[in-house]
Amino acid sequence: MLRPFLVVNAICVSVPVVAEVPKVVTDIAPVHSLVAQVMAGLDVPELIVRPGVSPHTYAMRPSEARALQQADLVVWIGGDLTPWLSKPLETLASGGRQVALLDQEVTQTHPYREFNHEDEHEEVGHEAHDDHDHEGRDPHAWLDPQNARAWLGLLADELAELDPENAALYHENAAAAQLRLDEVSSAVAALVSPMQQVPFVALHDAFQYFEHRYGLTLVGTVSLGDASSPSPARLAELRADIEALGVACAFAEPQFDTALLEAAVEGSEARILVLDPLGAHLDPGPELYNDVLKAMAAGFGACTGS
């Protein structure tokens, strides 16, 4: 006996193809934080330079090199800050889009400053300056919140172009991040206002953008470059300036030894405090950028007791 065949009609359901969110790689934690805010609710960007390590002389790990190879978009400050990253971007990330923030029209930049100390090139060999030359643009541009505000909008535009399906969310996230940043910047301005008439010195010239935005006055540095060692004559000159100007505070950074700064303020009433422009002790993520600004403000506030 023949059994009847059971005929099953296959029903083809059309399933829309959802575009993948772009893979984004960033250089330093403050830039990573800004990108993370714009990408909130969709994905998390990759971070190359680990917190607590100087970005000027960083050595990439294999996992970070792979992240560059897979990136649809790389967002970095530029070769002025991380010259070692230029070649990997050329060889590993050539297939993706790259945004060097210092090169964007929306970015306000400042040149490096001179503080009338003796010629730094007499103190160290040229090799010490190859990785972080202190001529041309100062790359610490993320410390001006107006730059960060402009970059949030720029990042939203870049991501929306790569991922049109989520364009509205990128722009909503950027607008919300800008509002939060405006509130933080106003609070920072109030906290550092007592510092506006107080001269200070630093290990090296890393805080210029913050100073310009909030009206602060750096009067000297121990050295121009992160790798340079000042001569005894330079230290003596800076020590005289500290005494003559009544400098209240000298600022170091977490990743650098304070011995040279201690030598510069020896015999004066200046206190050594620490400013952290990279968020070395903060957890990477959306909150880090605003937390960096607040920590900077707290550091300057500690100088005046405000």
Side-chain angles (χ1 to χ4, degrees), residues 222-243:
V222 173
S223 60
L224 294 179
D226 303 325
S228 59
S229 298
S231 68
R234 180 185 180 89
L235 282 175
E237 183 180 355
L238 182 59
R239 193 178 293 119
D241 290 342
I242 289 170
E243 198 66 40

PDB file of all heavy atoms in Angstrom, residues 222-243:
ATOM      1  N   VAL A 222      60.218  72.733  34.027  1.00  0.00           N
ATOM      2  CA  VAL A 222      61.535  72.166  34.281  1.00  0.00           C
ATOM      3  C   VAL A 222      62.201  71.793  32.963  1.00  0.00           C
ATOM      4  O   VAL A 222      63.374  72.049  32.748  1.00  0.00           O
ATOM      5  CB  VAL A 222      61.426  70.923  35.197  1.00  0.00           C
ATOM      6  CG1 VAL A 222      62.775  70.231  35.326  1.00  0.00           C
ATOM      7  CG2 VAL A 222      60.910  71.337  36.567  1.00  0.00           C
ATOM      8  N   SER A 223      61.440  71.186  32.066  1.00  0.00           N
ATOM      9  CA  SER A 223      62.003  70.801  30.774  1.00  0.00           C
ATOM     10  C   SER A 223      60.965  70.992  29.691  1.00  0.00           C
ATOM     11  O   SER A 223      59.758  71.028  29.961  1.00  0.00           O
ATOM     12  CB  SER A 223      62.479  69.347  30.803  1.00  0.00           C
ATOM     13  OG  SER A 223      61.397  68.489  31.092  1.00  0.00           O
ATOM     14  N   LEU A 224      61.436  71.105  28.455  1.00  0.00           N
ATOM     15  CA  LEU A 224      60.519  71.241  27.331  1.00  0.00           C
ATOM     16  C   LEU A 224      59.959  69.895  26.908  1.00  0.00           C
ATOM     17  O   LEU A 224      58.806  69.782  26.521  1.00  0.00           O
ATOM     18  CB  LEU A 224      61.229  71.898  26.139  1.00  0.00           C
ATOM     19  CG  LEU A 224      61.659  73.350  26.330  1.00  0.00           C
ATOM     20  CD1 LEU A 224      62.375  73.850  25.093  1.00  0.00           C
ATOM     21  CD2 LEU A 224      60.451  74.226  26.626  1.00  0.00           C
ATOM     22  N   GLY A 225      60.795  68.872  26.936  1.00  0.00           N
ATOM     23  CA  GLY A 225      60.376  67.565  26.449  1.00  0.00           C
ATOM     24  C   GLY A 225      60.267  66.552  27.566  1.00  0.00           C
ATOM     25  O   GLY A 225      60.906  66.659  28.604  1.00  0.00           O
ATOM     26  N   ASP A 226      59.424  65.541  27.331  1.00  0.00           N
ATOM     27  CA  ASP A 226      59.247  64.502  28.337  1.00  0.00           C
ATOM     28  C   ASP A 226      60.534  63.732  28.579  1.00  0.00           C
ATOM     29  O   ASP A 226      60.762  63.208  29.656  1.00  0.00           O
ATOM     30  CB  ASP A 226      58.164  63.518  27.867  1.00  0.00           C
ATOM     31  CG  ASP A 226      56.856  64.224  27.589  1.00  0.00           C
ATOM     32  OD1 ASP A 226      56.563  65.184  28.307  1.00  0.00           O
ATOM     33  OD2 ASP A 226      56.147  63.828  26.648  1.00  0.00           O
ATOM     34  N   ALA A 227      61.381  63.642  27.547  1.00  0.00           N
ATOM     35  CA  ALA A 227      62.594  62.839  27.660  1.00  0.00           C
ATOM     36  C   ALA A 227      63.825  63.665  28.020  1.00  0.00           C
ATOM     37  O   ALA A 227      64.902  63.125  28.194  1.00  0.00           O
ATOM     38  CB  ALA A 227      62.851  62.106  26.339  1.00  0.00           C
ATOM     39  N   SER A 228      63.664  64.989  28.123  1.00  0.00           N
ATOM     40  CA  SER A 228      64.833  65.837  28.309  1.00  0.00           C
ATOM     41  C   SER A 228      65.173  66.016  29.775  1.00  0.00           C
ATOM     42  O   SER A 228      64.309  66.010  30.641  1.00  0.00           O
ATOM     43  CB  SER A 228      64.597  67.208  27.661  1.00  0.00           C
ATOM     44  OG  SER A 228      63.474  67.825  28.226  1.00  0.00           O
ATOM     45  N   SER A 229      66.475  66.183  30.047  1.00  0.00           N
ATOM     46  CA  SER A 229      66.959  66.400  31.401  1.00  0.00           C
ATOM     47  C   SER A 229      67.578  67.781  31.477  1.00  0.00           C
ATOM     48  O   SER A 229      68.510  68.091  30.740  1.00  0.00           O
ATOM     49  CB  SER A 229      68.013  65.345  31.764  1.00  0.00           C
ATOM     50  OG  SER A 229      67.448  64.049  31.725  1.00  0.00           O
ATOM     51  N   PRO A 230      67.081  68.642  32.361  1.00  0.00           N
ATOM     52  CA  PRO A 230      67.584  70.008  32.431  1.00  0.00           C
ATOM     53  C   PRO A 230      68.983  70.074  33.038  1.00  0.00           C
ATOM     54  O   PRO A 230      69.356  69.252  33.868  1.00  0.00           O
ATOM     55  CB  PRO A 230      66.569  70.706  33.323  1.00  0.00           C
ATOM     56  CG  PRO A 230      66.053  69.624  34.190  1.00  0.00           C
ATOM     57  CD  PRO A 230      66.010  68.395  33.328  1.00  0.00           C
ATOM     58  N   SER A 231      69.718  71.074  32.617  1.00  0.00           N
ATOM     59  CA  SER A 231      71.052  71.286  33.179  1.00  0.00           C
ATOM     60  C   SER A 231      70.936  71.953  34.547  1.00  0.00           C
ATOM     61  O   SER A 231      69.893  72.520  34.893  1.00  0.00           O
ATOM     62  CB  SER A 231      71.861  72.191  32.251  1.00  0.00           C
ATOM     63  OG  SER A 231      71.302  73.497  32.259  1.00  0.00           O
ATOM     64  N   PRO A 232      71.993  71.924  35.343  1.00  0.00           N
ATOM     65  CA  PRO A 232      71.962  72.642  36.626  1.00  0.00           C
ATOM     66  C   PRO A 232      71.664  74.127  36.448  1.00  0.00           C
ATOM     67  O   PRO A 232      70.979  74.721  37.290  1.00  0.00           O
ATOM     68  CB  PRO A 232      73.376  72.421  37.171  1.00  0.00           C
ATOM     69  CG  PRO A 232      73.801  71.120  36.565  1.00  0.00           C
ATOM     70  CD  PRO A 232      73.221  71.121  35.185  1.00  0.00           C
ATOM     71  N   ALA A 233      72.174  74.716  35.357  1.00  0.00           N
ATOM     72  CA  ALA A 233      71.919  76.139  35.123  1.00  0.00           C
ATOM     73  C   ALA A 233      70.431  76.405  34.892  1.00  0.00           C
ATOM     74  O   ALA A 233      69.876  77.396  35.379  1.00  0.00           O
ATOM     75  CB  ALA A 233      72.731  76.624  33.922  1.00  0.00           C
ATOM     76  N   ARG A 234      69.785  75.504  34.149  1.00  0.00           N
ATOM     77  CA  ARG A 234      68.350  75.683  33.909  1.00  0.00           C
ATOM     78  C   ARG A 234      67.566  75.585  35.211  1.00  0.00           C
ATOM     79  O   ARG A 234      66.661  76.387  35.481  1.00  0.00           O
ATOM     80  CB  ARG A 234      67.858  74.636  32.910  1.00  0.00           C
ATOM     81  CG  ARG A 234      66.353  74.751  32.595  1.00  0.00           C
ATOM     82  CD  ARG A 234      65.889  73.614  31.695  1.00  0.00           C
ATOM     83  NE  ARG A 234      64.478  73.750  31.408  1.00  0.00           N
ATOM     84  CZ  ARG A 234      63.971  74.432  30.380  1.00  0.00           C
ATOM     85  NH1 ARG A 234      64.770  75.065  29.556  1.00  0.00           N
ATOM     86  NH2 ARG A 234      62.663  74.509  30.185  1.00  0.00           N
ATOM     87  N   LEU A 235      67.912  74.593  36.038  1.00  0.00           N
ATOM     88  CA  LEU A 235      67.231  74.442  37.311  1.00  0.00           C
ATOM     89  C   LEU A 235      67.438  75.668  38.203  1.00  0.00           C
ATOM     90  O   LEU A 235      66.511  76.118  38.884  1.00  0.00           O
ATOM     91  CB  LEU A 235      67.721  73.186  38.029  1.00  0.00           C
ATOM     92  CG  LEU A 235      67.155  71.852  37.535  1.00  0.00           C
ATOM     93  CD1 LEU A 235      67.834  70.702  38.269  1.00  0.00           C
ATOM     94  CD2 LEU A 235      65.655  71.793  37.737  1.00  0.00           C
ATOM     95  N   ALA A 236      68.643  76.202  38.176  1.00  0.00           N
ATOM     96  CA  ALA A 236      68.936  77.382  38.991  1.00  0.00           C
ATOM     97  C   ALA A 236      68.112  78.578  38.523  1.00  0.00           C
ATOM     98  O   ALA A 236      67.590  79.357  39.341  1.00  0.00           O
ATOM     99  CB  ALA A 236      70.429  77.704  38.927  1.00  0.00           C
ATOM    100  N   GLU A 237      67.982  78.727  37.208  1.00  0.00           N
ATOM    101  CA  GLU A 237      67.201  79.837  36.654  1.00  0.00           C
ATOM    102  C   GLU A 237      65.727  79.699  37.025  1.00  0.00           C
ATOM    103  O   GLU A 237      65.072  80.666  37.429  1.00  0.00           O
ATOM    104  CB  GLU A 237      67.365  79.888  35.138  1.00  0.00           C
ATOM    105  CG  GLU A 237      66.630  81.060  34.490  1.00  0.00           C
ATOM    106  CD  GLU A 237      66.801  81.080  32.979  1.00  0.00           C
ATOM    107  OE1 GLU A 237      67.566  80.251  32.456  1.00  0.00           O
ATOM    108  OE2 GLU A 237      66.158  81.927  32.339  1.00  0.00           O
ATOM    109  N   LEU A 238      65.198  78.480  36.895  1.00  0.00           N
ATOM    110  CA  LEU A 238      63.795  78.249  37.240  1.00  0.00           C
ATOM    111  C   LEU A 238      63.571  78.455  38.736  1.00  0.00           C
ATOM    112  O   LEU A 238      62.566  79.034  39.157  1.00  0.00           O
ATOM    113  CB  LEU A 238      63.383  76.839  36.821  1.00  0.00           C
ATOM    114  CG  LEU A 238      61.918  76.464  37.084  1.00  0.00           C
ATOM    115  CD1 LEU A 238      60.965  77.412  36.370  1.00  0.00           C
ATOM    116  CD2 LEU A 238      61.647  75.025  36.667  1.00  0.00           C
ATOM    117  N   ARG A 239      64.530  78.013  39.546  1.00  0.00           N
ATOM    118  CA  ARG A 239      64.408  78.183  41.002  1.00  0.00           C
ATOM    119  C   ARG A 239      64.349  79.672  41.360  1.00  0.00           C
ATOM    120  O   ARG A 239      63.560  80.073  42.231  1.00  0.00           O
ATOM    121  CB  ARG A 239      65.593  77.513  41.695  1.00  0.00           C
ATOM    122  CG  ARG A 239      65.413  77.349  43.191  1.00  0.00           C
ATOM    123  CD  ARG A 239      66.597  76.626  43.821  1.00  0.00           C
ATOM    124  NE  ARG A 239      66.677  75.245  43.384  1.00  0.00           N
ATOM    125  CZ  ARG A 239      67.716  74.729  42.727  1.00  0.00           C
ATOM    126  NH1 ARG A 239      68.775  75.495  42.422  1.00  0.00           N
ATOM    127  NH2 ARG A 239      67.709  73.461  42.388  1.00  0.00           N
ATOM    128  N   ALA A 240      65.146  80.476  40.658  1.00  0.00           N
ATOM    129  CA  ALA A 240      65.126  81.921  40.899  1.00  0.00           C
ATOM    130  C   ALA A 240      63.777  82.519  40.509  1.00  0.00           C
ATOM    131  O   ALA A 240      63.245  83.399  41.208  1.00  0.00           O
ATOM    132  CB  ALA A 240      66.257  82.588  40.115  1.00  0.00           C
ATOM    133  N   ASP A 241      63.218  82.046  39.384  1.00  0.00           N
ATOM    134  CA  ASP A 241      61.903  82.532  38.949  1.00  0.00           C
ATOM    135  C   ASP A 241      60.820  82.155  39.959  1.00  0.00           C
ATOM    136  O   ASP A 241      59.925  82.952  40.255  1.00  0.00           O
ATOM    137  CB  ASP A 241      61.544  81.947  37.578  1.00  0.00           C
ATOM    138  CG  ASP A 241      62.394  82.519  36.452  1.00  0.00           C
ATOM    139  OD1 ASP A 241      63.010  83.587  36.668  1.00  0.00           O
ATOM    140  OD2 ASP A 241      62.434  81.907  35.373  1.00  0.00           O
ATOM    141  N   ILE A 242      60.892  80.950  40.475  1.00  0.00           N
ATOM    142  CA  ILE A 242      59.901  80.489  41.454  1.00  0.00           C
ATOM    143  C   ILE A 242      59.911  81.389  42.686  1.00  0.00           C
ATOM    144  O   ILE A 242      58.867  81.784  43.214  1.00  0.00           O
ATOM    145  CB  ILE A 242      60.190  79.023  41.835  1.00  0.00           C
ATOM    146  CG1 ILE A 242      59.840  78.096  40.666  1.00  0.00           C
ATOM    147  CG2 ILE A 242      59.428  78.619  43.096  1.00  0.00           C
ATOM    148  CD1 ILE A 242      60.294  76.668  40.844  1.00  0.00           C
ATOM    149  N   GLU A 243      61.125  81.739  43.137  1.00  0.00           N
ATOM    150  CA  GLU A 243      61.257  82.592  44.322  1.00  0.00           C
ATOM    151  C   GLU A 243      60.784  84.012  44.038  1.00  0.00           C
ATOM    152  O   GLU A 243      60.030  84.609  44.821  1.00  0.00           O
ATOM    153  CB  GLU A 243      62.723  82.599  44.770  1.00  0.00           C
ATOM    154  CG  GLU A 243      62.945  83.069  46.201  1.00  0.00           C
ATOM    155  CD  GLU A 243      62.343  82.115  47.230  1.00  0.00           C
ATOM    156  OE1 GLU A 243      62.423  80.885  47.054  1.00  0.00           O
ATOM    157  OE2 GLU A 243      61.764  82.630  48.209  1.00  0.00           O
TER     158      GLU A 243
END
